[in-house]
Amino acid sequence: MRYLSTRGGVEPVGFSEAVMMGLGTDGGLLLPESVPRVGPDLLRDSPRLSFQDLALEIMAPFVGDAIPREDLADLILCSYATFSHPQVTPLVRVGAQPILELFHGPTAAFKDVALQFLGNLFEYLLERDGGRLTILGATSGDTGSAAIAGVRGKERIQIFILHPAGRVSPIQERQMTTVLDANVHNIAIRGTFDDGQHIVKALFNDLPFKQQYHLGAVNSINWARILAQMVYYLYAWGRLSGGDPGYRLSFCVPTGNFGDVFAGYMAKHMGLPVDRLLIATNRNDILTRFVTTGIYEAGEVHPTLSPAMDIQIASNFERYLYYLVGEDPAAVRSLLGEMSRTGRMQVTQGQHATVAHDFDADAVTDPQVLEQIRRTWERTGYILDPHTAVGVRAACSRGDMVCLATAHPAKFNEAVREAIGIEAPPPPCLQGLLEKETRCACLDADEEAVRDHIRTTLAANSQ
Ligand SMILES: Cc1ncc(COP(=O)(O)O)c(C=O)c1O
């Protein structure tokens, strides 16, 4: 399988190169040249197959001959052995509502599904090709810990994660800083998340530095993350359909960067019988406005009770745009140009009709989130995290659909306490964090200070 850039400026590359490249060298996002089909046999067999079996069937055609099938199977087994639930992403009934729990990985968030796999995939490719990688990222809380959990202890990988000092929740901070593996380097920046993000971008733009230290990213633009997330759509379908290819299932997806819901779109593109895909946003509703009006226009970012979705520009949206404009990179470039010149882009009426055919969308306010957490708790005794509550609230008036549960509620206990007066009991991976030993450097929000710190740490680690 070969991969192309949404902006058309990358010579087609194989799966391994696409994974190592992350963001296309032309600034675009990578997509497969063609989309393999889910065959009727796989649909029929899916109720009997485990998550890991389904992952192998979904991933193998996208990986092509880049990795032998047995090695891919091992990578998948090893990636999901860290999950605390034997079904990996169990489908549970909360009252009448089916909920797909994606939070049984090592950091209790859906990102583990992709990042556990990506960490092992990186390690496999680096060992095979004799490379090294320095992962650099800024986090506002959640992605950092999932990325660290994905690569901790891996010999050929060093990871540096910047977080804003004192501005992530104590649990989130400890999830990162209590990981003491020698290849994990946390940096608390005396500044904001944006300061950290700015420094990371500046270091990626310093090409000699980037090349010397083999800088790489793990954010949701990496194709392998989308690939891993496609699996659970098929898993849920298999559990509810009885394998009947005529059975159509709808999903509601709490959405920020458009990665998770794009994985659902790709699963549908592969031929999974998906009926509706409902995009559920919080007050940061650029995607809901786009689905309703055909205009994509960033507004201010508002802090909400579902902070991982406080996003205005959705980094994976460009992938959808590529399909929407008929796989035409020139049309993608033109819309992105319009966006950077005017702060907005508008698709044609015909394209807007396609968008409305592909997605439903709804924006949910914080008071509605609190009410939903309370209502679900009172009726069923189940505690929703605020991100999942955005989805459940959006879905409640729209008929049957599976809601994706993207985080364990104990990660967001302030909102839970506000809603129902008690906290969700933490799962084992979140217990005792506040008492554990930590390691973290604290630096000024200064590019040079971070560059120096990375240099000296890597020099010390290579001795
Ligand atoms: C808990 C949680 N829910 C939902 C989302 C939204 O996912 P996406 O950004 O892929 O749309 C995120 C993303 O960070 C998240 O952390």
Side-chain angles (χ1 to χ4, degrees), residues 59 72 75-76 79-80 113-121 224 228:
M59 290 181 185
L72 181 61
L75 279 175
I76 290 169
S79 301
Y80 299 110
V113 177
L115 285 167
Q116 286 293 302
F117 176 68
L118 184 60
N120 287 318
L121 182 60

Side-chain angles (χ1 to χ4, degrees), residues 107-421:
T107 72
F110 86 106
K111 286 181 180 153
D112 291 324
V113 177
L115 285 167
Q116 286 293 302
F117 176 68
L118 184 60
N120 287 318
L121 182 60
F122 274 148
E123 183 183 45
Y124 174 90
L125 296 175
L126 292 168
E127 263 171 22
R128 188 191 67 184
D129 303 336
R132 298 203 164 268
L133 183 66
T134 304
I135 291 170
L136 175 61
T139 186
S140 57
D142 245 23
T143 309
S145 57
I148 288 171
V151 303
R152 63 184 294 180
K154 301 211 183 302
E155 231 179 69
R156 291 175 176 273
I157 303 176
Q158 301 286 325
I159 182 166
F160 290 83
I161 294 290
L162 280 61
H163 68 264
R167 298 188 199 215
V168 297
S169 78
I171 288 274
Q172 286 177 324
E173 186 193 319
R174 294 304 173 109
Q175 278 190 293
M176 297 187 278
T177 57
T178 56
V179 181
L180 302 180
D181 298 71
N183 70 331
V184 173
H185 314 287
N186 281 288
I187 304 176
I189 289 290
R190 294 184 198 97
T192 62
F193 166 65
D194 284 341
D195 292 333
Q197 183 89 303
H198 192 75
I199 293 171
V200 166
K201 278 193 185 148
L203 294 179
F204 272 102
N205 283 332
D206 176 350
L207 291 186
F209 185 77
K210 182 177 176 204
Q211 276 159 7
Q212 184 181 357
Y213 294 108
H214 311 286
L215 290 196
V218 282
N219 47 17
S220 64
I221 44 93
N222 197 302
W223 168 252
R225 286 186 59 176
I226 303 290
L227 184 56
Q229 288 174 232
M230 277 152 59
V231 177
Y232 45 72
Y233 287 89
L234 174 58
Y235 176 84
W237 185 88
R239 293 302 170 276
L240 290 172
S241 64
D244 169 9
Y247 179 89
R248 289 167 70 78
L249 185 58
S250 297
F251 291 90
C252 175
V253 190
T255 304
N257 263 319
F258 203 76
D260 209 1
V261 75
F262 182 74
Y265 171 82
M266 287 304 286
K268 187 172 180 181
H269 208 336
M270 288 184 80
L272 182 69
V274 172
D275 187 11
R276 303 302 302 157
L277 284 170
L278 171 58
I279 293 173
T281 61
N282 60 26
R283 191 177 160 203
N284 299 288
D285 61 350
I286 180 169
L287 291 165
T288 299
R289 283 184 282 117
F290 174 68
V291 172
T292 318
T293 64
I295 299 170
Y296 188 76
E297 183 171 24
E300 239 179 276
V301 178
H302 302 285
T304 72
L305 293 172
S306 43
M309 289 156 42
D310 292 348
I311 286 165
Q312 281 291 343
I313 296 296
S315 55
N316 263 289
F317 182 69
E318 185 172 332
R319 285 196 161 109
Y320 174 64
L321 212 52
Y322 177 79
Y323 289 116
L324 182 65
V325 299
E327 305 184 26
D328 175 3
V332 172
R333 288 198 304 271
S334 156
L335 280 168
L336 293 175
E338 185 184 328
M339 182 79 191
S340 67
R341 273 194 315 279
T342 65
R344 80 205 283 270
M345 65 169 101
Q346 180 159 16
V347 297
T348 64
Q349 262 186 358
Q351 288 162 349
H352 183 218
T354 306
V355 175
H357 177 260
D358 290 337
F359 299 105
D360 294 320
D362 211 350
V364 173
T365 64
D366 275 352
Q368 289 174 317
V369 164
L370 292 173
E371 188 187 272
Q372 187 61 54
I373 296 175
R374 197 175 310 123
R375 193 189 291 170
T376 302
W377 163 249
E378 282 168 2
R379 290 185 185 168
T380 66
Y382 187 91
I383 304 180
L384 298 168
D385 104 279
H387 303 80
T388 308
V390 167
V392 172
R393 176 63 180 223
C396 68
S397 56
R398 292 175 187 261
D400 293 344
M401 57 179 74
V402 170
C403 287
L404 271 49
T406 51
H408 191 286
K411 288 193 89 169
F412 297 95
N413 257 333
E414 288 95 271
V416 170
R417 201 181 325 110
E418 194 177 338
I420 60 175

